[in-house]
Amino acid sequence: MDGSKAGPLKELPVGIDATTEEEYASQSRLLQEFTSISSIDKAWIFKSDSGIGSQAMFSISQSNLLANKRKKFILSSHISRESNNSVNFQWAPFPVEMTGVSVIVPSPSGAKLLVVRNPENESPCQFEIWGRAQVEKEFHIPQSVHGSVYADGWFQGISWNSDETLIAYVAEEPSPSKPTFTGQGYKKGSSTEKDFGNWKGQGDWKEEWGETYAGKRQPALFVININSGEAQAVKGIEKSLSVGQVVWAPLLRGSHQYLVFVGWSEGTRKLGIKYCFNRPCALYAVRAPNFESEADGPELKDNSTEDFPVVNLTQSISSAFYPRFSPDGKFLSFLSARSSVDSGAHSATDSLHRIDWPIDGLLSSSAKVVDVVPVVMCAEDGSFPGLYWSSFLSNPWLSDGCTMIITSFWGSCQVILSVNVLSGEVLRISPTDSNSSWSVLTLDGDNIVAVSSSPVDVPHINYGYLVDKESKSTGWSWLNVPSPTNECSEKVKSLLSSLQFSIMKIPLRDVSDSVTKGAAKPIEAIFVSSKTKRNDPFDPLIVILHGGPHAVSLSSFSKSLGFLSSIGFNLLLVNYRGSLGFGEEALQSLLGKVGSQDVNDVLVAIDHVIDLGLASPSKLAVLGGSHGGFLTTHLIGQAPDKFVAAAALNPVCNLALMVGTTDIPDWVYVEAYGSEGKNSFTDAPSAEHLTLFQSKSPIAHVSKVKTPTLFLLGAQDLRVPVSTGLQYARALKEKGVPVKVIVFPNDTHAIERPQSDFESLLNIGVWFKKYLS
């Protein structure tokens, strides 16, 4: 009975035949090699014990597919400058994993390190103060004081005071008391404590800040004394104000110490804030808690803040965030997204401002806001296009005390800028002869540690220095730093080395005389291709469309795009009008014209590469997520014979359906109606509104679609709820169009959990191979 030794019949996964399974297996092996490439997230510089050179600490991360999390590591290096203008990084032999760590923040002197471990349940939040060789202090802050510390990159703010005894930070406010019930009914005197003899009701529902903030309580401001472990909420801040990005104000002799923070008022409701810079915000100052000296005990003086009102420092401007004090404490610089707030666009051109900080400590809500870098409406060719989505280092200053080093967008590239906050002079200091993208990691005195990459080059570390530090006029020199973080598998190196990319300028056609000068300029697209012809005269082309719409496709490395390029596809990343990095006039031109102007820009870009002989009109696919999915599903409806295959991640398919379920219904109004939609927005849209929304949606063209389409949807998406993608996919199935739908039950708008990201990208590769081979 030989049959008794046979194993069970192999059963293929649903929707996969034997041929497809082989493709899955082949592509997944390569994809794992791309997935294992580490990312360089942050860096810090410390003075060397010897006084020669400096010590660097890099935070890197890597996907852990089996655990479905990202691993975080610390990699250290000693930096020494040589006399011949070279630099030497001596790397530690191995990185150290930071298990369970939410955020780390070194003290200003570098003598201490704060390590925060947020709980995954109702356990206390753990604060650790590290010295050079040991954990010196450990504090457990109970949920009755506050919840998790914000580590989201937006509300997040952790700041040491100058003598390194106090730390200000942003954390979730304590859980509110909820009604308690027993077997006999309601129990008076509800509390947050648990008791096996009763059960908790839900209590009143509270607004949240939307996508990625579901279940997060309001961000509030706290200070901890690291000598005593005493943590206190900062008093005097209105409950309706969400706080973030806190910094300590300069300590003035004979004056109280203040905290400066960003505050967002919720108004009648909270609208989604992730990627939405159009939420009004201001800088506020509040008196810091006054802890008694250690000799008197760690108690907080009760009257420390009650007699001092919170001061709005930026009443004259609708947006202010990322506050940074100058090294001498004489002025406070900050970014503003007032173009976003005033127009309603979710993101737009930023501006940089400063206010003088009073030397007498008398704060005023009427402080003069000085414009340092204004909004650039229309940039001349090759000129500075404005500030975009810039983020500041905790210490962005050169030694002159007035020059900031920041990262911004310049067309399709990310660049490093120096900005003189007194004169307003802006210089592009990353190499101008490179189409790669650059980002500053940290400063080593007046030198810069940066990371650069391109669509065909993995991220690598660079070291920049002024050639003539005295004149500061001869430009910057950049050294490539050999680093373990540059490493990837030999197979990935070989595949990437066979690729090339360029940034194309593509003239618009049939431009209306009514458009602004900035909106009539050529658009840009990044074209990635093989250096040599493969088998056919033309490699299949995937047109890749970014979301937003006010975002940008950058000339930086992307594991997902590197993977798609390496399995035989050319790529065209189109930065249609409305993208960041090209001036405010081009960006604002899209408002009210979604589904037409952006669609036409993409079609112009496709025709451009076909006319250049770089693509075949019979081998085109299209891929996009969010608003890029909006364009993807529009294109297969408006140009039904153009694309062989399509893939859409959490696509906006029906604005009329989305407006009632999304966390950003105002986005629907502004993109559909233009800036006037900001004033028309209501949570009770009229029949006229809904009719317009439907007419501007991909669902209006669904009857014409023939293109096989893959849908990748996050079930927890609050931005573009899963119902919009499912409705469109079902409509295609109804017509007999080939459709594949994968829903990730625990993912939000960005399908970025490691396993979900892997499966979605693998399915994109297999789907396109199926229809384009």
Side-chain angles (χ1 to χ4, degrees):
M1 299 291 290
D2 292 340
S4 63
K5 297 179 182 179
L9 274 175
K10 181 182 175 185
E11 185 175 337
L12 292 172
V14 175
I16 298 179
D17 56 30
T19 304
T20 305
E21 188 180 44
E22 283 302 314
E23 189 67 36
Y24 265 96
S26 172
Q27 288 195 26
S28 66
R29 288 191 290 271
L30 177 61
L31 180 56
Q32 282 184 311
E33 298 199 40
F34 275 93
T35 300
S36 66
I37 299 172
S38 61
S39 300
I40 309 167
D41 302 325
K42 288 184 179 180
W44 300 268
I45 294 289
F46 306 90
K47 293 178 182 177
S48 175
D49 289 340
S50 65
I52 302 173
S54 50
Q55 296 285 344
M57 190 168 76
F58 293 83
S59 173
I60 58 179
S61 60
Q62 182 184 36
S63 288
N64 182 344
L65 287 171
L66 290 178
N68 203 18
K69 293 181 179 179
R70 288 193 68 80
K71 284 188 174 183
K72 297 179 183 179
F73 305 90
I74 292 294
L75 182 62
S76 299
S77 177
H78 179 267
I79 305 174
S80 55
R81 285 286 306 274
E82 310 295 337
S83 58
N84 60 351
N85 283 331
S86 64
V87 64
N88 182 31
F89 277 60
Q90 294 177 306
W91 296 94
F94 301 103
V96 177
E97 185 175 1
M98 303 293 283
T99 306
V101 172
S102 302
V103 64
I104 61 174
V105 182
S107 66
S109 70
K112 299 182 178 75
L113 180 71
L114 169 68
V115 174
V116 178
R117 301 178 192 272
N118 281 327
E120 294 187 357
N121 45 40
E122 293 300 307
S123 302
C125 186
Q126 188 172 324
F127 283 61
E128 298 168 1
I129 307 299
W130 289 17
R132 298 294 300 274
Q134 62 189 11
V135 176
E136 297 180 347
K137 300 279 182 71
E138 184 173 325
F139 307 113
H140 293 249
I141 312 302
Q143 293 282 326
S144 58
V145 176
H146 63 66
S148 293
V149 172
Y150 270 84
D152 63 329
W154 187 236
F155 291 117
Q156 177 179 342
I158 300 177
S159 181
W160 291 77
N161 72 339
S162 57
D163 67 7
E164 303 185 356
T165 59
L166 304 175
I167 301 172
Y169 58 98
V170 178
E172 292 181 60
E173 65 183 7
S175 296
S177 295
K178 294 185 177 181
T180 305
F181 300 91
T182 68
Q184 285 72 45
Y186 175 72
K187 178 182 177 182
K188 293 183 179 179
S190 298
S191 71
T192 58
E193 301 299 320
K194 291 184 177 179
D195 186 337
F196 291 112
N198 56 45
W199 54 277
K200 297 289 182 184
Q202 293 303 309
D204 289 358
W205 174 76
K206 292 191 72 174
E207 293 274 7
E208 297 170 335
W209 283 110
E211 174 68 19
T212 73
Y213 292 102
K216 296 282 285 183
R217 300 192 293 276
Q218 176 124 327
L221 187 54
F222 299 85
V223 174
I224 186 171
N225 181 324
I226 68 166
N227 292 322
S228 66
E230 178 86 9
Q232 292 280 350
V234 176
K235 298 179 181 178
I237 301 172
E238 292 183 14
K239 292 290 186 183
S240 62
L241 210 58
S242 291
V243 308
Q245 303 176 19
V246 62
V247 294
W248 289 89
L251 181 59
L252 302 172
R253 182 173 297 177
S255 172
H256 292 282
Q257 193 162 13
Y258 297 99
L259 295 166
V260 171
F261 64 90
V262 182
W264 293 263
S265 181
E266 63 185 79
T268 56
R269 66 161 288 186
K270 288 178 180 173
L271 293 163
I273 203 168
K274 184 75 170 180
Y275 308 124
C276 292
F277 298 87
N278 54 326
R279 308 301 174 221
C281 57
L283 299 186
Y284 295 85
V286 63
R287 186 173 292 175
N290 184 14
F291 287 88
E292 293 281 13
S293 68
E294 193 71 16
D296 296 329
E299 295 303 316
L300 188 73
K301 286 185 178 179
D302 289 339
N303 63 351
S304 58
T305 58
E306 289 178 354
D307 57 349
F308 178 77
V310 175
V311 176
N312 183 336
L313 301 170
T314 55
Q315 282 189 342
S316 63
I317 192 168
S318 58
S319 169
F321 53 95
Y322 289 147
R324 295 293 184 271
F325 281 96
S326 60
D328 61 10
K330 291 183 177 179
F331 57 85
L332 175 63
S333 296
F334 61 92
L335 275 176
S336 174
R338 61 180 176 182
S339 289
S340 297
V341 174
D342 297 347
S343 68
H346 72 91
S347 187
T349 313
D350 293 333
S351 51
L352 181 66
H353 308 267
R354 75 168 195 268
I355 58 175
D356 292 332
W357 194 252
I359 58 174
D360 57 7
L362 298 177
L363 303 181
S364 170
S365 58
S366 57
K368 180 184 178 183
V369 174
V370 178
D371 297 341
V372 176
V373 180
V375 169
V376 175
M377 298 304 295
C378 176
E380 297 303 319
D381 292 344
S383 298
F384 172 60
L387 294 175
Y388 296 92
W389 219 334
S390 311
S391 60
F392 288 171
L393 300 174
S394 57
N395 180 17
W397 303 98
L398 296 185
S399 61
D400 63 5
C402 62
T403 301
M404 304 179 82
I405 304 299
I406 63 177
T407 302
S408 185
F409 303 154
W410 191 307
S412 300
C413 296
Q414 191 171 42
V415 300
I416 301 174
L417 305 173
S418 72
V419 180
N420 187 306
V421 179
L422 298 181
S423 69
E425 180 185 39
V426 180
L427 298 174
R428 178 176 176 174
I429 62 174
S430 51
T432 56
D433 60 352
S434 166
N435 279 334
S436 298
S437 281
W438 291 66
S439 176
V440 59
L441 287 172
T442 188
L443 302 184
D444 183 14
D446 279 341
N447 304 320
I448 300 173
V449 180
V451 62
S452 66
S453 70
S454 81
V456 300
D457 298 292
V458 297
H460 56 273
I461 294 172
N462 300 269
Y463 194 85
Y465 64 92
L466 276 167
V467 177
D468 184 349
K469 192 176 289 187
E470 296 302 319
S471 68
K472 296 193 176 181
S473 61
T474 53
W476 288 74
S477 181
W478 292 93
L479 304 171
N480 186 20
V481 176
S483 160
T485 61
N486 302 351
E487 295 176 2
C488 57
S489 72
E490 290 301 320
K491 186 171 186 179
V492 169
K493 282 181 187 177
S494 175
L495 288 167
L496 292 178
S497 68
S498 69
L499 302 174
Q500 61 188 354
F501 83 100
S502 62
I503 298 177
M504 299 176 167
K505 290 195 178 294
I506 301 172
L508 299 170
R509 62 187 180 212
D510 303 326
V511 179
S512 166
D513 294 335
S514 63
V515 303
T516 58
K517 179 181 177 182
K521 287 181 171 292
I523 60 172
E524 285 187 359
I526 302 168
F527 184 67
V528 184
S529 62
S530 173
K531 290 178 181 177
T532 57
K533 292 289 183 184
R534 291 179 171 121
N535 296 323
D536 297 325
F538 295 101
D539 290 327
L541 178 71
I542 304 175
V543 180
I544 296 178
L545 305 171
H546 66 71
H550 311 302
V552 63
S553 289
L554 292 170
S555 62
S556 55
F557 182 71
S558 159
K559 298 173 196 177
S560 57
L561 301 187
F563 167 72
L564 291 175
S565 300
S566 298
I567 59 174
F569 298 110
N570 289 348
L571 310 179
L572 184 69
L573 289 68
V574 182
N575 284 318
Y576 46 86
R577 281 174 292 173
S579 302
L580 300 176
F582 298 91
E584 188 67 3
E585 287 182 350
L587 186 145
Q588 292 289 337
S589 71
L590 182 57
L591 299 186
K593 300 175 185 174
V594 293
S596 53
Q597 178 178 292
D598 44 4
V599 169
N600 290 332
D601 285 358
V602 175
L603 292 173
V604 167
I606 294 170
D607 289 345
H608 181 79
V609 293
I610 291 173
D611 292 343
L612 290 176
L614 298 173
S616 165
S618 63
K619 292 185 176 182
L620 300 176
V622 60
L623 165 65
S626 192
H627 188 85
F630 173 87
L631 289 175
T632 295
T633 47
H634 253 305
L635 285 160
I636 60 176
Q638 293 191 42
D641 298 312
K642 204 167 190 73
F643 301 97
V644 176
L649 295 82
N650 287 326
V652 177
C653 298
N654 187 347
L655 293 171
L657 175 60
M658 176 180 164
V659 73
T661 53
T662 178
D663 65 331
I664 53 167
D666 59 321
W667 176 91
V668 176
Y669 275 84
V670 170
E671 298 298 339
Y673 276 99
S675 285
E676 59 269 24
K678 180 171 176 273
N679 300 319
S680 304
F681 162 59
T682 171
D683 276 311
S686 67
E688 179 186 350
H689 293 162
L690 295 174
T691 299
L692 178 75
F693 298 155
Q694 202 271 347
S695 71
K696 287 183 175 284
S697 298
I699 198 79
H701 304 279
V702 73
S703 63
K704 298 175 283 184
V705 176
K706 308 172 186 175
T707 307
T709 306
L710 168 67
F711 292 88
L712 302 158
L713 310 174
Q716 304 302 316
D717 189 351
L718 300 180
R719 183 63 40 96
V720 184
V722 67
S723 56
T724 60
L726 288 176
Q727 181 195 43
Y728 191 91
R730 286 164 174 156
L732 291 188
K733 281 185 177 180
E734 201 173 72
K735 290 174 70 303
V737 176
V739 167
K740 182 180 178 71
V741 179
I742 302 176
V743 177
F744 299 96
N746 297 310
D747 280 82
T748 57
H749 190 52
I751 300 174
E752 59 188 5
R753 289 158 58 89
Q755 292 175 3
S756 306
D757 178 59
F758 186 91
E759 186 178 356
S760 60
L761 188 53
L762 179 60
N763 275 278
I764 290 169
V766 171
W767 186 259
F768 285 158
K769 277 284 187 180
K770 177 179 179 179
Y771 289 100
L772 287 167
S773 295

